[in-house]
Amino acid sequence: MSALSHHQRPHDPMMSAGYDGKSAETRNLRPGELSSGTTIIAIPFATGVVLGADSRVSTGTYVANRASDKIAQLHDRIWCCRSGSAADTQALTDYVKHYLAQLAVETGRVPTVKVAAHLMRKLCYENKDNLMAGVIIGGGGPVDGGSVY
């Protein structure tokens, strides 16, 4: 049996600093509520971008898939982080991917991250009443370096 009673705990500096073991996202949830938000992030550096996303797909409070890929490749050096409706974001990324491939063939040049982001923004805005989608477009190239939109 432990030398400490069940009421005594060893000193933990994280607990004395006000850390309660909960993330900022879950700290203010009411009893019985579950967090169902997606986390996506993009950090640019000189020649590229680091993209990150969680992998959980939920439908309300039910986790439908624990191993989903929320980062999609749009072109050779252009990627997209997706959040919101899986159907909406997959349709958007498929459309942008097809458009960028056609653009590259027609112009003979590699599309820029800015062009991909502009197209995605235009599609999202023009269909804002019908979509539930949040995206981050990022990529790198020899001309612009790392870019995030």
Side-chain angles (χ1 to χ4, degrees), residues 1 4 12 14 18-19 27 34 36 45 48 62-63 72 76 99 111 114 120 126 140 147:
M1 180 162 228
L4 297 174
D12 184 351
M14 293 298 281
Y19 178 74
R27 191 168 291 125
L34 297 173
S36 59
F45 60 96
Y62 175 73
V63 176
D76 294 340
Y99 180 86
K114 186 175 185 177
M120 184 68 79
E126 289 177 356
S147 302

Side-chain angles (χ1 to χ4, degrees), residues 1-97:
M1 180 162 228
S2 170
L4 297 174
S5 73
H6 69 286
H7 294 291
Q8 296 174 325
R9 292 198 172 111
H11 175 70
D12 184 351
M14 293 298 281
M15 294 307 259
S16 63
Y19 178 74
D20 59 3
K22 295 181 180 180
S23 70
E25 178 184 337
T26 61
R27 191 168 291 125
N28 297 318
L29 293 177
R30 294 183 183 109
E33 285 185 330
L34 297 173
S35 170
S36 59
T38 291
T39 301
I40 55 176
I41 187 170
I43 303 168
F45 60 96
T47 59
V49 176
V50 176
L51 300 172
D54 68 338
S55 61
R56 185 182 67 184
V57 174
S58 57
T59 55
T61 59
Y62 175 73
V63 176
N65 186 353
R66 298 184 85 174
S68 177
D69 192 6
K70 295 182 182 179
I71 302 176
Q73 186 173 18
L74 299 177
H75 205 265
D76 294 340
R77 295 181 179 207
I78 304 171
W79 296 77
C80 175
C81 292
R82 307 179 297 118
S83 69
S85 164
D88 291 348
T89 59
Q90 286 173 353
L92 286 167
T93 55
D94 286 347
Y95 184 82
V96 172
K97 184 176 183 176

Side-chain angles (χ1 to χ4, degrees), residues 78-149:
I78 304 171
W79 296 77
C80 175
C81 292
R82 307 179 297 118
S83 69
S85 164
D88 291 348
T89 59
Q90 286 173 353
L92 286 167
T93 55
D94 286 347
Y95 184 82
V96 172
K97 184 176 183 176
H98 174 74
Y99 180 86
L100 294 176
Q102 284 297 116
L103 182 66
V105 169
E106 289 176 12
T107 63
R109 297 186 313 222
V110 176
T112 64
V113 180
K114 186 175 185 177
V115 167
H118 180 75
L119 177 61
M120 184 68 79
R121 180 193 57 80
K122 186 173 173 71
L123 288 170
C124 288
Y125 184 77
E126 289 177 356
N127 296 286
K128 67 184 174 202
D129 295 331
N130 301 315
L131 296 174
M132 188 167 47
V135 295
I136 298 174
I137 308 295
V143 177
D144 296 332
S147 302
V148 173
Y149 295 89

